[in-house]
């Protein structure tokens, strides 16, 4: 499926501020024919860096005092990998690639060690594999209210479990925490999400199963085969779309994603296991 997407951001910069943006589509093999452009007003000198393995694209710019706006536009063919969920199993820790280790450990917003007893009691008896992670997402969807303003940038996964309300980043953090507590590597994903209404930057997560990263969304608000990845990290602290260092006020923000052919019918929600990441070398991928 070919998508057109973009973002429009505005800021009132009160003093010279360094911005580091991570809102460009990741250059994945399954993001085919990617054509995009990031523009600033005023046009300023920039630095860029793409993390070799993670493919997160960072752009840094020093912005003087005054009005500042950011515009990003992209077209991309999303070529997802599909499998039957029952065919995707878990991997014992002894067989995991060692570079996966950080995604098994607790992190700033994902204190998975604090949730281990609950996760084992709630999900430990379920058959291992993709279906168990899907059951985690179902539990989150059924037991956590999606409620704007119910959390903030400091809210952690264990706090979400207690207050039973959050937004997409909180749903992702809780899913990651439960997976890590069950010895399933999991990581945070920021993305453009087709079908999300209203359109916004969206947060989901990936679990590492059978040598490949698979997408999951506890909010069930967007199509798994319509997620165009921006960045990945241990949790939201590592994939903010904008990191300002200085005094500024954020203004209006608009995010969009639509089919490039202009058709507006809703894609039927897939029941397949979906991945946009290539399997790890020498891993037993399906």
């Amino acid at each position: 499926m070919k998508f057109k997407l973009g973002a429009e951001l505005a800021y009132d910069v009160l003093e010279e501020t360094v911005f580091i943006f991570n809102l460009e589509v990741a250059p994945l093999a399954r993001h085919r024919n990617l054509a995009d452009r990031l523009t600033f007003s005023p046009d300023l000198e920039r630095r860029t860096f793409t993390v070799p393995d993670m493919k997160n694209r960072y752009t840094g710019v020093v912005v003087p005092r005054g009005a500042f706006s950011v515009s990003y536009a992209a077209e991309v063919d999303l070529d997802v990998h599909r499998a039957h969920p029952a065919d995707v199993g878990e991997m014992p820790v002894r067989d995991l690639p060692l570079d996966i280790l950080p995604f098994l450990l607790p992190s700033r917003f994902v204190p998975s060690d604090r949730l281990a007893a609950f996760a084992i009691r709630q999900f430990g008896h379920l058959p291992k594999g993709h279906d168990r992670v899907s059951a985690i997402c179902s539990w989150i969807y059924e037991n956590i209210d999606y409620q704007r303003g119910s959390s903030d940038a400091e809210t952690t996964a264990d706090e979400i479990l207690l207050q039973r309300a959050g937004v997409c980043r909180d749903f992702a953090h809780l899913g990651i925490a439960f997976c890590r507590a069950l010895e399933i590597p999991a990581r945070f994903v920021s993305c453009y999400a087709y079908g999300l209404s209203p359109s916004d930057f969206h947060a989901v997560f990936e679990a590492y199963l059978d040598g490949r990263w698979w997408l999951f969304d506890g909010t069930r608000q967007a199509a798994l085969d319509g997620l165009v990845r921006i960045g990945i990290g241990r949790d939201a602290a590592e994939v903010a779309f904008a990191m300002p260092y200085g005094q500024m006020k954020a203004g209006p923000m608009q995010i969009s994603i639509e089919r490039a052919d202009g058709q507006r019918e809703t894609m039927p929600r897939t029941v397949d296991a979906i991945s946009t990441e290539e399997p790890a070398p020498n891993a037993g991928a399906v």
Side-chain angles (χ1 to χ4, degrees):
M1 180 70 69
K2 189 178 187 67
F3 292 106
K4 294 175 62 177
L5 56 89
E8 302 286 338
L9 313 176
Y11 299 92
D12 180 14
V13 181
L14 306 179
E15 65 177 27
E16 184 177 88
T17 298
V18 176
F19 284 88
I20 301 173
F21 293 102
N22 177 208
L23 48 77
E24 297 165 276
V25 172
L28 307 180
R30 292 188 173 274
H31 287 170
R32 304 191 189 281
N33 304 314
L34 174 61
D36 62 351
R37 185 177 183 183
L38 178 66
T39 58
F40 298 134
S41 180
D43 188 17
L44 301 167
E45 183 177 355
R46 67 186 70 182
R47 298 175 297 151
T48 62
F49 177 69
T50 300
V51 182
D53 295 327
M54 302 170 72
K55 304 301 182 183
N56 296 2
R57 297 166 67 186
Y58 296 106
T59 298
V61 61
V62 180
V63 182
R65 182 175 178 176
F68 176 59
S69 62
V70 181
S71 178
Y72 177 65
E75 289 196 11
V76 62
D77 290 311
L78 179 59
D79 178 24
V80 302
H81 173 79
R82 300 176 182 270
H84 193 288
D87 295 333
V88 182
E90 293 178 23
M91 298 178 68
V93 173
R94 69 183 184 185
D95 295 336
L96 292 173
L98 292 181
D99 61 351
I100 300 297
L101 178 62
F103 304 108
L104 270 179
L105 303 176
S107 57
R108 178 179 175 184
F109 294 114
V110 183
S112 49
D113 50 341
R114 299 180 189 173
L115 300 180
F118 180 92
I120 292 170
R121 183 171 62 253
Q122 190 72 37
F123 310 109
H125 64 285
L126 299 178
K128 296 182 178 181
H130 191 282
D131 287 339
R132 178 156 72 156
V133 183
S134 292
I136 289 173
C137 290
S138 294
W139 187 94
I140 294 171
Y141 178 78
E142 294 166 1
N143 291 275
I144 307 297
D145 293 332
Y146 190 91
Q147 189 173 41
R148 294 182 182 275
S150 59
S151 62
D152 58 31
E154 301 299 322
T155 306
T156 59
D158 54 334
E159 292 171 332
I160 292 301
L161 183 60
L162 289 173
Q163 69 189 37
R164 297 299 176 102
V167 294
C168 61
R169 76 191 290 275
D170 305 307
F171 279 54
H173 283 155
L174 192 54
I176 294 168
F178 288 155
C179 284
R180 291 180 187 173
L182 297 168
E183 298 181 349
I184 303 170
R187 66 189 186 186
F188 190 92
V189 181
S190 62
C191 58
Y192 295 93
Y194 183 72
L196 184 67
S197 182
S199 188
D200 201 348
F201 292 119
H202 194 42
V204 297
F205 73 96
E206 290 178 324
Y208 191 79
L209 306 164
D210 269 351
R212 194 179 200 125
W213 290 102
W214 300 89
L215 286 160
F216 296 90
D217 183 5
T219 74
R220 294 183 178 173
Q221 293 198 13
L224 288 179
D225 50 359
L227 301 178
V228 179
R229 192 173 101 192
I230 301 171
I232 54 174
R234 290 175 298 173
D235 56 33
E238 298 185 346
V239 287
F241 67 86
M243 292 166 277
Y245 296 87
Q247 296 296 317
M248 61 85 205
K249 292 182 179 179
M253 179 175 71
Q254 292 185 335
I255 312 300
S256 63
I257 179 170
E258 59 185 20
R259 289 172 52 157
D261 60 12
Q263 297 187 35
R264 296 184 178 275
E265 66 263 27
T266 302
M267 295 167 58
R269 293 300 172 91
T270 183
V271 295
D272 295 333
I274 298 295
S275 173
T276 57
E277 183 73 272
E278 295 307 298
N282 303 317
V286 290

